[in-house]
Amino acid sequence: MTRRIAPFGTWSSPITPERAAKGARRYSDLTGFGDRIFWCEGRPEEGGRNVIVMAPAAGGAPIDLLPEGFSARSKVHEYGGGAFLVAKAGLYFVNADDQDIYHLATDGAAAPRRITSRPDMRFADGCHDPLRNRLIMVAEQRPEPGDPHRVDNLLVSVSLGSENLGQVETLRAGRDFYAAPRLDAEAMKLAWLEWSLPAMPWEASELWLAALGKDGRPQEPARMAGGDDAMAGEPQWDEDGSLWFIGDDSGWASLHRLDANGAVTTLPLDGHEFGQPMWGLGQKSYLIAPGGAVLAAAHCAGELRLLSHDGRQWSREVSEARQIAGLGAAGGRCFAVAATDYAPAAIIELNSGKPVSAATPRLDKGDISVPRPVSFEAAGGATAHALYYPPCNSRRTGPPGSAPPMIVSAHGGPTGMADRGLKLKIQYWTSRGFAWLDVDYRGSTGHGRDYRRALDGYWGLSDVEDVAAGALHMAETGLADPDRLLISGSSAGGYTVLRALCETDIFAAGASTYGIGDLKKLL
């Protein structure tokens, strides 16, 4: 097909706003159980309702489990996550409207049954305790009705017995935050995370461990990792009774194994960062197979790598995934919430790359802009990183010698990272003749702890310097029009947008979506 010459930014595109919105389904809480795989699917076309979906691991059509009127979403820590868990008796999920826990049989034979009725509480990120017929959950309690500033975070048990169904008992209290209660295979030991302000979980979260007494309560809890100047996250038990977790005491987030004798083995890999900052609950960035083999997602120089460890060394797996937001295993197969250069986020089987979730209409590859990583010098000799997406359209090309307008994107967090994998919100613009620069400014994840901490005390300064330096770098190399540089961001990225528009004259326009406007008020 011959491409027609047309000014950058004016091209007709196959990606309508409606298609971009519908293609933005959110997938989370990927969970394997037996020979089935489960996940939570946020659907813009249903007003953002979160539906729990089930599919056979061996293949077959996915089935919606939640009936109309229900949506699985937790509001614990406001960001939520960990909205459901699976046990032999079925699903236990947190309903968005009332934040109570419900039970649902996976055969869909009966309507959801309400377990709790606690308007003063929220629940999330739990595990099932089969020995004591209960759930162990993270909870928030507002002990003073009508006081939005008094919130107690807790670890609690929720009874599933018929005589005391939904009864809530506190197992652990006194810290500002709790996360990830996880029982070992024998249901005799409980691991969990906790931390207190002013620390964020990616700075000083702590891994705790305790045996459970006859009354089911933790006995003599002990901190096993994290705290002080390091974090611990994503605890998981293996079949041998060893406790795995991610820690960054070396400066890079690495996988660790704590055996029954308390000895810690580290599986380091220089220059690689495992896991993600814990903004939401229920994260699963690695899997432990029977026998101790490990499959994990990590970032190196901002690039996603799928890695396996055979007990001796790490190896890189062949994968088209550019972003993995969760891993799960069922029926001897491994699955991921993954996006590639040419397909948006979906549930896929890793071995085959075959999508398991409902198919999303695909674009012609000639209309897809594939990014390339760039690094550039920022203020004070620092190095910053970004992904550059050139304009791309199978039917249009720009006039010779001209440069496209460019949108500079500042991600949220600010400890997030530039989007990887196909995002229709980006392709909407690149297919119209815009370039897109997704900046991993100082403070971003994926480049080690020192890079993430480089924004401490300089928020609104270093990030602004980096987006400005990235814009100028691309203009100087002829890949962007210096007179048509734009900037966009949401939340923390929106704050960067507002600061950049106030403090520099580089950008012709900017869009701040639910951006932070005042750090003192935020605090």
Side-chain angles (χ1 to χ4, degrees):
M1 179 185 297
T2 302
R3 297 188 179 189
R4 181 191 303 176
I5 295 175
F8 286 112
T10 68
W11 303 346
S12 60
S13 168
I15 306 175
T16 63
E18 292 78 13
R19 185 175 184 183
K22 191 172 182 178
R25 285 194 175 189
R26 301 181 309 276
Y27 299 91
S28 62
D29 295 337
L30 181 61
T31 303
F33 191 85
D35 60 355
R36 295 167 295 173
I37 194 80
F38 301 79
W39 66 88
C40 201
E41 193 168 300
R43 298 175 177 171
E45 70 273 21
E46 295 184 34
R49 188 167 83 99
N50 293 303
V51 180
I52 300 173
V53 184
M54 177 185 72
I63 301 169
D64 288 358
L65 295 179
L66 282 196
E68 292 290 334
F70 289 90
S71 177
R73 182 191 172 208
S74 167
K75 297 179 182 178
V76 169
H77 302 171
E78 304 305 324
Y79 287 89
F84 77 91
L85 61 94
V86 189
K88 287 184 178 180
L91 284 171
Y92 297 91
F93 71 93
V94 177
N95 188 43
D97 285 346
D98 51 37
Q99 290 297 289
D100 275 310
I101 300 171
Y102 289 72
H103 172 260
L104 178 66
T106 56
D107 60 8
R113 180 175 62 124
R114 192 168 189 162
I115 301 297
T116 61
S117 183
R118 293 295 300 264
D120 62 327
M121 300 193 84
R122 297 172 173 179
F123 302 93
D125 195 20
C127 61
H128 180 244
D129 183 351
L131 287 185
R132 303 163 187 89
N133 196 23
R134 64 180 182 173
L135 305 176
I136 300 177
M137 307 289 292
V138 177
E140 285 182 350
Q141 184 175 26
R142 284 163 169 76
E144 302 294 337
D147 183 359
H149 302 295
R150 174 72 189 280
V151 179
D152 293 338
N153 271 256
L154 312 165
L155 282 185
V156 302
S157 65
V158 179
S159 174
L160 300 176
S162 57
E163 295 182 357
N164 54 355
L165 182 68
Q167 180 176 318
V168 178
E169 294 187 3
T170 299
L171 299 179
R172 182 80 169 169
R175 301 297 297 274
D176 289 333
F177 298 97
Y178 293 91
R182 302 291 183 260
L183 277 171
D184 70 345
E186 304 298 324
M188 297 304 294
K189 294 180 181 179
L190 180 68
W192 69 91
L193 304 174
E194 60 182 58
W195 67 98
S196 291
L197 297 172
M200 295 289 101
W202 50 85
E203 295 173 326
S205 51
E206 302 169 5
L207 175 64
W208 285 71
L209 178 63
L212 296 180
K214 293 182 179 180
D215 59 358
R217 303 182 67 83
Q219 305 295 309
E220 300 181 359
R223 187 179 78 174
M224 309 307 295
D228 300 325
D229 200 38
M231 59 75 70
E234 292 193 47
Q236 292 188 39
W237 294 93
D238 67 19
E239 61 179 10
D240 295 327
S242 293
L243 179 61
W244 296 72
F245 64 95
I246 294 174
D248 71 349
D249 47 308
S250 69
W252 290 88
S254 304
L255 207 56
H256 298 66
R257 176 178 175 267
L258 177 69
D259 67 20
N261 297 318
V264 176
T265 301
T266 304
L267 281 62
L269 191 61
D270 289 345
H272 288 70
E273 192 156 72
F274 290 75
Q276 290 281 325
M278 190 170 51
W279 281 94
L281 298 170
Q283 293 177 332
K284 300 170 187 171
S285 68
Y286 68 96
L287 296 173
I288 308 168
V294 177
L295 183 71
H299 286 89
C300 179
E303 175 192 36
L304 175 77
R305 295 186 178 182
L306 186 65
L307 304 168
S308 62
H309 197 281
D310 60 4
R312 300 184 304 276
Q313 62 183 2
W314 287 106
S315 300
R316 187 173 181 179
E317 297 293 312
V318 176
S319 174
E320 294 183 355
R322 297 293 176 263
Q323 181 176 16
I324 290 180
L327 292 168
R333 293 173 166 87
C334 295
F335 300 85
V337 181
T340 70
D341 283 333
Y342 297 104
I347 308 298
I348 67 169
E349 182 184 351
L350 282 172
N351 292 340
S352 65
K354 180 180 178 181
V356 179
S357 53
T360 301
R362 295 207 172 196
L363 295 172
D364 187 299
K365 286 189 175 182
D367 292 320
I368 295 176
S369 178
V370 176
R372 71 169 188 262
V374 295
S375 298
F376 49 89
E377 184 176 341
T383 298
H385 311 281
L387 297 176
Y388 174 77
Y389 293 78
C392 187
N393 187 306
S394 61
R395 294 163 297 281
R396 298 288 187 272
T397 188
S402 64
M406 184 176 73
I407 300 171
V408 177
S409 176
H411 62 69
T415 60
M417 64 189 309
D419 285 333
R420 269 72 176 169
L422 183 68
K423 301 288 189 300
L424 291 187
K425 69 176 185 179
I426 295 176
Q427 303 298 325
Y428 175 91
W429 294 101
T430 56
S431 62
R432 284 169 166 75
F434 288 77
W436 182 281
L437 188 71
D438 228 342
V439 181
D440 270 344
Y441 51 79
R442 281 169 286 175
S444 302
T445 293
H447 305 274
R449 186 173 64 185
D450 289 345
Y451 192 81
R452 190 186 70 237
R453 290 183 175 179
L455 196 63
D456 290 358
Y458 296 93
W459 192 11
L461 300 174
S462 295
D463 50 324
V464 172
E465 292 171 348
D466 292 354
V467 295
L472 293 176
H473 174 76
M474 303 315 294
E476 289 168 358
T477 56
L479 296 175
D481 185 340
D483 295 325
R484 292 188 293 169
L485 298 173
L486 315 166
I487 186 167
S488 176
S490 56
S491 190
Y495 177 65
T496 303
V497 169
L498 297 176
R499 291 280 300 176
L501 294 176
C502 289
E503 301 298 329
T504 79
D505 58 1
I506 293 171
F507 300 102
S512 171
T513 310
Y514 55 93
I516 295 165
D518 187 319
L519 290 187
K520 288 185 178 180
K521 287 185 178 180
L522 175 68
L523 180 63

